[in-house]
């Protein structure tokens, strides 16, 4: 099983350890993990040049770093993204990375392989906000066409992994076990649900009348999505 993991921070705290637990509990013995830490492995801010959307993703001034991670995501069965909650949001580093992936949203040029993957969105907070952050990460993957995104959020009632209570650690242990079993049961067999299909249909009709971005429109045409073909 190939897994891409993107850590929305560079330290190995609670979000990191929860992610690690999930990997350890996935019983597949042939795990190949591509791991990225923010901000060292990821691009700097999007400069808003529109090159990725209007021309090509390879025209982004930071294409090398972005496409390195995108290639891992494309090759993986499972994409795991975590972030601590900072001021009720995901980390700025992680949002910066997501900004670079707008070109592969359903509204532009979604990648067919993304419609077969499972995602996991993880966030921890001291007191509150992790639910919203996990939801936000899941939303990003959904807009890339990922049909099944599990969420795991935990308000850990502490600031570091070392100071978490035993009770909280037990609860985390239970949740990571449950989640890893769900992933194992569904890997390779997920299909888009009604919400994703519906959104695809709306985007398809938008592309039919798209007269502002030929690159996007041609992409939809070449994939046959303006006719009967679908990416799933
Ligand atoms: C800059 C900053 C902002 C934070 N904002 C919040 C917050 O809005 N809500 C909250 O409950 N905890 C907040 N925290 C605490 C962290 O979310 C919490 O300690 C988290 O579990 C850290 O995860 P990590 O160990 O993976 O870094 C904040 C911490 C930092 C450093």
């Amino acid at each position: 099983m190939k897994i891409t993991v993107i850590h929305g921070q560079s330290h190995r705290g609670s979000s990191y350890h929860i992610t690690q637990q999930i990997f350890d509990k996935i019983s597949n013995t042939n795990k190949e993990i591509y791991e990225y830490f923010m901000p060292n492995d990821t691009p700097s801010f999007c400069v808003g040049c529109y090159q990725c959307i209007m021309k090509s993703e390879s025209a982004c001034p930071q294409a090398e770093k972005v496409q390195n991670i995108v290639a891992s995501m494309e090759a993986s069965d499972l994409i795991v993204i975590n972030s601590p909650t900072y001021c009720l949001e995901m980390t700025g580093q992680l949002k910066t990375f997501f900004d670079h992936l707008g070109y592969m949203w359903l509204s532009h040029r979604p990648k067919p392989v993304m419609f077969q993957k499972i995602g996991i969105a993880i966030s921890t907070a001291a007191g509150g906000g992790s639910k919203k952050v996990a939801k936000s990460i899941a939303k990003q993957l959904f807009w890339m066409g990922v049909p099944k995104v599990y969420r795991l959020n935990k308000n850990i009632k502490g600031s570091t992994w070392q100071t978490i209570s035993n009770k909280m650690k037990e609860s985390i242990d239970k949740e990571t076990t449950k989640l890893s079993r769900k992933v194992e049961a569904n890997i390779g067999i997920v299909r888009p649900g009604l919400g994703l299909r519906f959104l695809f249909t709306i985007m398809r009709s938008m592309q039919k009348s798209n007269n502002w971005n030929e690159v996007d429109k041609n992409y939809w045409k070449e994939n046959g999505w303006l006719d009967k073909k679908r990416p799933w």
Side-chain angles (χ1 to χ4, degrees):
M1 184 192 296
K2 291 187 177 167
I3 306 172
T4 292
V5 56
I6 299 168
H7 301 284
Q9 72 294 332
S10 54
H11 57 271
R12 294 167 195 236
S14 306
S15 314
Y16 172 89
H17 279 95
I18 289 176
T19 305
Q20 208 56 36
Q21 265 190 26
I22 295 170
F23 293 157
D24 293 345
K25 290 176 182 179
I26 293 176
S27 59
N28 188 308
T29 48
N30 197 16
K31 279 174 271 186
E32 200 174 315
I33 299 177
Y34 310 114
E35 192 166 36
Y36 301 94
F37 289 88
M38 309 267 151
N40 287 349
D41 299 328
T42 53
S44 182
F45 303 112
C46 165
V47 293
C49 65
Y50 266 91
Q51 294 294 296
C52 62
I53 290 175
M54 301 303 288
K55 207 169 163 187
S56 158
E57 53 269 35
S58 56
C60 168
Q62 303 181 59
E64 204 179 320
K65 275 197 162 176
V66 178
Q67 291 310 315
N68 186 30
I69 305 175
V70 170
S72 300
M73 289 167 77
E74 284 187 78
S76 295
D77 308 289
L78 176 64
I79 300 168
V80 188
I81 306 182
N82 69 47
S83 173
T85 301
Y86 283 176
C87 306
L88 300 179
E89 307 284 350
M90 69 178 77
T91 60
Q93 302 91 296
L94 183 55
K95 179 61 171 63
T96 292
F97 173 62
F98 281 137
D99 291 345
H100 284 283
L101 303 188
Y103 78 89
M104 53 189 263
W105 272 34
L106 293 162
S107 42
H108 295 288
R109 303 189 299 279
K111 293 184 180 282
V113 286
M114 297 303 274
F115 291 83
Q116 294 147 27
K117 304 198 183 294
I118 288 183
I120 305 180
I122 298 166
S123 182
T124 65
S130 63
K131 188 171 182 179
K132 189 181 161 234
V133 172
K135 192 174 175 191
S136 205
I137 294 171
K139 177 176 66 184
Q140 296 288 330
L141 288 168
F142 175 78
W143 272 90
M144 289 174 219
V146 177
K148 183 75 213 164
V149 185
Y150 295 106
R151 290 186 232 160
L152 199 162
N153 72 281
K154 222 55 196 161
N155 297 326
I156 58 165
K157 300 188 181 128
S159 54
T160 62
W161 180 248
Q162 287 72 22
T163 53
I164 297 180
S165 71
N166 285 339
K167 196 169 163 216
M168 180 61 68
K169 281 208 171 136
E170 276 166 30
S171 157
I172 290 170
D173 185 43
K174 273 192 196 137
E175 285 189 41
T176 53
T177 303
K178 221 160 110 185
L179 183 49
S180 53
R181 289 199 183 128
K182 279 188 194 162
V183 169
E184 281 185 323
N186 288 297
I187 206 89
I189 58 166
V190 282
R191 302 263 300 156
L194 271 183
L196 185 52
R197 285 167 195 251
F198 181 64
L199 190 59
F200 185 88
T201 308
I202 293 174
M203 295 302 131
R204 176 176 175 266
S205 65
M206 271 175 50
Q207 287 301 338
K208 277 192 165 176
S209 55
N210 174 355
N211 55 11
W212 70 281
N213 185 334
E214 259 187 32
V215 177
D216 282 359
K217 189 168 189 167
N218 287 340
Y219 181 85
W220 280 69
K221 257 191 213 154
E222 281 158 18
N223 275 291
W225 300 339
L226 298 185
D227 300 316
K228 293 249 157 22
K229 266 181 104 176
R230 295 291 174 269
W232 52 82

Short mmCIF file of all heavy atoms in Angstrom, two decimals, residues 81-91 94-95 98 121-125 127-141 149-155:
data_model
loop_
_atom_site.label_atom_id
_atom_site.label_comp_id
_atom_site.label_asym_id
_atom_site.label_seq_id
_atom_site.Cartn_x
_atom_site.Cartn_y
_atom_site.Cartn_z
N ILE A 81 -3.35 13.73 5.75
CA ILE A 81 -2.90 15.11 5.98
C ILE A 81 -3.27 15.52 7.40
O ILE A 81 -4.42 15.33 7.82
CB ILE A 81 -3.52 16.08 4.94
CG1 ILE A 81 -3.22 15.57 3.52
CG2 ILE A 81 -2.99 17.50 5.15
CD1 ILE A 81 -3.72 16.45 2.40
N ASN A 82 -2.29 16.01 8.13
CA ASN A 82 -2.60 16.43 9.51
C ASN A 82 -2.17 17.87 9.75
O ASN A 82 -1.33 18.41 9.05
CB ASN A 82 -1.96 15.47 10.52
CG ASN A 82 -0.44 15.57 10.56
OD1 ASN A 82 0.12 16.66 10.60
ND2 ASN A 82 0.23 14.42 10.54
N SER A 83 -2.80 18.44 10.77
CA SER A 83 -2.42 19.80 11.17
C SER A 83 -2.81 20.04 12.62
O SER A 83 -3.93 19.69 13.01
CB SER A 83 -3.13 20.84 10.30
OG SER A 83 -2.88 22.14 10.78
N PRO A 84 -1.93 20.66 13.40
CA PRO A 84 -2.42 21.16 14.68
C PRO A 84 -3.38 22.31 14.42
O PRO A 84 -3.35 22.91 13.34
CB PRO A 84 -1.14 21.66 15.37
CG PRO A 84 -0.10 21.79 14.33
CD PRO A 84 -0.52 20.96 13.16
N THR A 85 -4.23 22.60 15.37
CA THR A 85 -5.14 23.74 15.23
C THR A 85 -4.41 24.98 15.72
O THR A 85 -3.95 25.03 16.85
CB THR A 85 -6.40 23.50 16.09
OG1 THR A 85 -7.02 22.30 15.64
CG2 THR A 85 -7.37 24.67 15.99
N TYR A 86 -4.31 25.95 14.82
CA TYR A 86 -3.70 27.23 15.20
C TYR A 86 -4.75 28.32 15.03
O TYR A 86 -5.21 28.57 13.90
CB TYR A 86 -2.48 27.54 14.31
CG TYR A 86 -1.21 26.76 14.66
CD1 TYR A 86 -0.07 26.90 13.88
CD2 TYR A 86 -1.15 25.91 15.76
CE1 TYR A 86 1.10 26.20 14.18
CE2 TYR A 86 0.01 25.20 16.06
CZ TYR A 86 1.13 25.35 15.28
OH TYR A 86 2.28 24.66 15.57
N CYS A 87 -5.12 28.95 16.12
CA CYS A 87 -6.11 30.03 16.07
C CYS A 87 -7.36 29.60 15.30
O CYS A 87 -7.81 30.29 14.38
CB CYS A 87 -5.50 31.30 15.49
SG CYS A 87 -4.01 31.80 16.37
N LEU A 88 -7.83 28.41 15.63
CA LEU A 88 -9.06 27.81 15.09
C LEU A 88 -8.99 27.44 13.60
O LEU A 88 -10.01 27.18 12.98
CB LEU A 88 -10.28 28.72 15.34
CG LEU A 88 -10.60 29.03 16.79
CD1 LEU A 88 -11.81 29.95 16.90
CD2 LEU A 88 -10.86 27.74 17.59
N GLU A 89 -7.81 27.44 13.04
CA GLU A 89 -7.65 27.09 11.62
C GLU A 89 -6.52 26.07 11.46
O GLU A 89 -5.81 25.79 12.41
CB GLU A 89 -7.28 28.34 10.79
CG GLU A 89 -8.20 29.53 10.94
CD GLU A 89 -9.52 29.38 10.20
OE1 GLU A 89 -9.64 28.42 9.40
OE2 GLU A 89 -10.41 30.21 10.41
N MET A 90 -6.33 25.58 10.22
CA MET A 90 -5.15 24.77 9.94
C MET A 90 -3.92 25.67 9.97
O MET A 90 -4.05 26.91 9.94
CB MET A 90 -5.28 24.06 8.58
CG MET A 90 -5.23 24.96 7.38
SD MET A 90 -5.32 24.07 5.81
CE MET A 90 -7.05 23.68 5.68
N THR A 91 -2.73 25.09 10.00
CA THR A 91 -1.52 25.93 10.03
C THR A 91 -1.43 26.73 8.71
O THR A 91 -1.89 26.26 7.66
CB THR A 91 -0.24 25.09 10.17
OG1 THR A 91 -0.15 24.19 9.06
CG2 THR A 91 -0.21 24.30 11.46
N LEU A 94 0.21 24.76 5.90
CA LEU A 94 -0.60 23.78 5.18
C LEU A 94 -1.53 24.48 4.19
O LEU A 94 -1.69 24.05 3.04
CB LEU A 94 -1.41 22.93 6.17
CG LEU A 94 -2.25 21.80 5.55
CD1 LEU A 94 -1.41 20.88 4.69
CD2 LEU A 94 -2.96 21.00 6.63
N LYS A 95 -2.11 25.58 4.63
CA LYS A 95 -3.01 26.32 3.72
C LYS A 95 -2.22 26.80 2.50
O LYS A 95 -2.71 26.78 1.37
CB LYS A 95 -3.65 27.49 4.48
CG LYS A 95 -4.59 28.34 3.63
CD LYS A 95 -5.76 27.51 3.09
CE LYS A 95 -6.83 28.34 2.42
NZ LYS A 95 -6.41 29.06 1.24
N PHE A 98 -2.04 23.98 0.12
CA PHE A 98 -3.33 23.75 -0.56
C PHE A 98 -3.59 24.80 -1.64
O PHE A 98 -4.19 24.49 -2.67
CB PHE A 98 -4.48 23.74 0.45
CG PHE A 98 -4.63 22.44 1.21
CD1 PHE A 98 -4.88 22.44 2.58
CD2 PHE A 98 -4.55 21.21 0.56
CE1 PHE A 98 -5.03 21.25 3.28
CE2 PHE A 98 -4.70 20.01 1.26
CZ PHE A 98 -4.94 20.04 2.62
N ALA A 121 -8.05 13.05 7.24
CA ALA A 121 -7.77 14.41 7.71
C ALA A 121 -7.71 14.38 9.23
O ALA A 121 -8.65 13.94 9.88
CB ALA A 121 -8.89 15.35 7.24
N ILE A 122 -6.57 14.82 9.76
CA ILE A 122 -6.34 14.72 11.21
C ILE A 122 -6.03 16.11 11.79
O ILE A 122 -5.25 16.86 11.19
CB ILE A 122 -5.14 13.79 11.50
CG1 ILE A 122 -5.44 12.38 10.99
CG2 ILE A 122 -4.80 13.77 13.00
CD1 ILE A 122 -4.21 11.49 10.92
N SER A 123 -6.62 16.42 12.91
CA SER A 123 -6.21 17.64 13.60
C SER A 123 -6.32 17.47 15.11
O SER A 123 -7.19 16.76 15.61
CB SER A 123 -7.04 18.84 13.16
OG SER A 123 -6.55 20.00 13.83
N THR A 124 -5.41 18.13 15.82
CA THR A 124 -5.52 18.18 17.28
C THR A 124 -5.53 19.64 17.71
O THR A 124 -5.00 20.51 17.02
CB THR A 124 -4.33 17.47 17.98
OG1 THR A 124 -3.12 18.18 17.70
CG2 THR A 124 -4.20 16.03 17.56
N ALA A 125 -6.19 19.86 18.85
CA ALA A 125 -6.19 21.20 19.46
C ALA A 125 -6.06 21.00 20.96
O ALA A 125 -6.30 19.90 21.47
CB ALA A 125 -7.48 21.93 19.13
N GLY A 127 -7.90 22.87 23.26
CA GLY A 127 -9.24 22.94 23.83
C GLY A 127 -10.35 22.84 22.80
O GLY A 127 -11.36 22.17 23.02
N GLY A 128 -10.20 23.52 21.67
CA GLY A 128 -11.27 23.51 20.68
C GLY A 128 -10.81 23.96 19.31
O GLY A 128 -9.83 24.69 19.18
N GLY A 129 -11.53 23.51 18.30
CA GLY A 129 -11.24 23.95 16.92
C GLY A 129 -10.76 22.83 16.02
O GLY A 129 -10.75 22.98 14.79
N SER A 130 -10.40 21.69 16.61
CA SER A 130 -9.81 20.63 15.77
C SER A 130 -10.85 20.02 14.82
O SER A 130 -10.50 19.56 13.73
CB SER A 130 -9.19 19.53 16.63
OG SER A 130 -10.18 18.91 17.41
N LYS A 131 -12.12 20.04 15.23
CA LYS A 131 -13.16 19.46 14.36
C LYS A 131 -13.26 20.26 13.06
O LYS A 131 -13.32 19.71 11.97
CB LYS A 131 -14.50 19.48 15.11
CG LYS A 131 -15.59 18.74 14.41
CD LYS A 131 -16.80 18.62 15.30
CE LYS A 131 -17.88 17.82 14.58
NZ LYS A 131 -19.07 17.65 15.38
N LYS A 132 -13.23 21.56 13.23
CA LYS A 132 -13.34 22.45 12.07
C LYS A 132 -12.12 22.29 11.16
O LYS A 132 -12.23 22.29 9.93
CB LYS A 132 -13.47 23.89 12.55
CG LYS A 132 -13.80 24.84 11.45
CD LYS A 132 -13.91 26.27 11.92
CE LYS A 132 -13.76 27.17 10.71
NZ LYS A 132 -12.75 28.17 10.84
N VAL A 133 -10.96 22.13 11.78
CA VAL A 133 -9.73 22.00 10.96
C VAL A 133 -9.74 20.68 10.18
O VAL A 133 -9.44 20.67 8.98
CB VAL A 133 -8.47 22.12 11.85
CG1 VAL A 133 -7.21 21.80 11.06
CG2 VAL A 133 -8.37 23.53 12.43
N ALA A 134 -10.13 19.59 10.85
CA ALA A 134 -10.20 18.30 10.13
C ALA A 134 -11.21 18.39 8.99
O ALA A 134 -10.96 17.89 7.88
CB ALA A 134 -10.57 17.18 11.10
N LYS A 135 -12.31 19.09 9.25
CA LYS A 135 -13.34 19.25 8.22
C LYS A 135 -12.79 20.05 7.03
O LYS A 135 -13.05 19.76 5.86
CB LYS A 135 -14.55 19.96 8.84
CG LYS A 135 -15.78 19.94 7.97
CD LYS A 135 -16.95 20.52 8.72
CE LYS A 135 -18.16 20.62 7.77
NZ LYS A 135 -19.24 21.38 8.34
N SER A 136 -12.02 21.05 7.37
CA SER A 136 -11.44 21.92 6.34
C SER A 136 -10.43 21.16 5.46
O SER A 136 -10.41 21.32 4.23
CB SER A 136 -10.76 23.07 7.07
OG SER A 136 -10.68 24.17 6.29
N ILE A 137 -9.61 20.33 6.10
CA ILE A 137 -8.64 19.53 5.33
C ILE A 137 -9.41 18.55 4.43
O ILE A 137 -9.09 18.37 3.24
CB ILE A 137 -7.69 18.76 6.29
CG1 ILE A 137 -6.81 19.74 7.07
CG2 ILE A 137 -6.83 17.76 5.51
CD1 ILE A 137 -6.00 19.09 8.20
N ALA A 138 -10.48 17.95 5.01
CA ALA A 138 -11.28 16.99 4.25
C ALA A 138 -11.93 17.67 3.04
O ALA A 138 -12.01 17.10 1.95
CB ALA A 138 -12.34 16.37 5.15
N LYS A 139 -12.35 18.91 3.24
CA LYS A 139 -12.98 19.67 2.14
C LYS A 139 -12.00 19.84 0.97
O LYS A 139 -12.37 19.70 -0.20
CB LYS A 139 -13.43 21.03 2.67
CG LYS A 139 -14.04 21.94 1.62
CD LYS A 139 -14.56 23.22 2.24
CE LYS A 139 -13.44 24.07 2.79
NZ LYS A 139 -13.89 25.28 3.48
N GLN A 140 -10.74 20.11 1.30
CA GLN A 140 -9.73 20.28 0.24
C GLN A 140 -9.61 19.00 -0.59
O GLN A 140 -9.57 19.04 -1.82
CB GLN A 140 -8.37 20.63 0.85
CG GLN A 140 -8.32 21.96 1.58
CD GLN A 140 -8.35 23.17 0.65
OE1 GLN A 140 -7.88 23.09 -0.48
NE2 GLN A 140 -8.92 24.27 1.11
N LEU A 141 -9.56 17.85 0.10
CA LEU A 141 -9.41 16.58 -0.61
C LEU A 141 -10.67 16.27 -1.43
O LEU A 141 -10.59 15.75 -2.54
CB LEU A 141 -9.10 15.45 0.38
CG LEU A 141 -7.69 15.50 0.96
CD1 LEU A 141 -7.54 14.55 2.15
CD2 LEU A 141 -6.64 15.16 -0.10
N VAL A 149 -13.10 10.47 2.57
CA VAL A 149 -12.13 11.12 3.46
C VAL A 149 -12.58 10.93 4.91
O VAL A 149 -13.64 11.43 5.31
CB VAL A 149 -11.97 12.63 3.15
CG1 VAL A 149 -10.86 13.22 4.02
CG2 VAL A 149 -11.68 12.88 1.68
N TYR A 150 -11.81 10.16 5.64
CA TYR A 150 -12.09 9.98 7.07
C TYR A 150 -11.51 11.16 7.84
O TYR A 150 -10.48 11.71 7.44
CB TYR A 150 -11.47 8.68 7.59
CG TYR A 150 -12.07 7.45 6.96
CD1 TYR A 150 -11.37 6.72 6.00
CD2 TYR A 150 -13.35 7.03 7.32
CE1 TYR A 150 -11.93 5.59 5.42
CE2 TYR A 150 -13.92 5.91 6.73
CZ TYR A 150 -13.20 5.19 5.78
OH TYR A 150 -13.75 4.09 5.20
N ARG A 151 -12.17 11.48 8.94
CA ARG A 151 -11.67 12.58 9.77
C ARG A 151 -11.38 12.08 11.17
O ARG A 151 -12.15 11.29 11.71
CB ARG A 151 -12.73 13.67 9.89
CG ARG A 151 -12.98 14.41 8.61
CD ARG A 151 -13.95 15.55 8.91
NE ARG A 151 -15.07 15.51 7.98
CZ ARG A 151 -16.24 16.10 8.20
NH1 ARG A 151 -16.45 16.77 9.32
NH2 ARG A 151 -17.19 16.03 7.32
N LEU A 152 -10.29 12.53 11.73
CA LEU A 152 -10.01 12.25 13.14
C LEU A 152 -9.56 13.54 13.79
O LEU A 152 -8.53 14.11 13.42
CB LEU A 152 -8.92 11.17 13.27
CG LEU A 152 -8.85 10.46 14.64
CD1 LEU A 152 -8.08 9.15 14.52
CD2 LEU A 152 -8.24 11.31 15.72
N ASN A 153 -10.37 14.03 14.70
CA ASN A 153 -9.97 15.26 15.41
C ASN A 153 -10.03 15.01 16.90
O ASN A 153 -10.85 14.23 17.39
CB ASN A 153 -10.89 16.42 15.02
CG ASN A 153 -12.26 16.27 15.62
OD1 ASN A 153 -13.08 15.52 15.09
ND2 ASN A 153 -12.53 16.98 16.69
N LYS A 154 -9.13 15.65 17.60
CA LYS A 154 -9.06 15.44 19.04
C LYS A 154 -8.67 16.74 19.74
O LYS A 154 -7.65 17.35 19.42
CB LYS A 154 -7.97 14.38 19.28
CG LYS A 154 -8.23 13.32 20.28
CD LYS A 154 -9.46 12.53 20.10
CE LYS A 154 -9.82 11.77 21.35
NZ LYS A 154 -11.19 11.32 21.41
N ASN A 155 -9.51 17.15 20.68
CA ASN A 155 -9.14 18.25 21.57
C ASN A 155 -8.48 17.60 22.78
O ASN A 155 -9.16 17.01 23.62
CB ASN A 155 -10.38 19.07 21.96
CG ASN A 155 -11.01 19.71 20.73
OD1 ASN A 155 -10.31 20.10 19.79
ND2 ASN A 155 -12.31 19.80 20.71
#
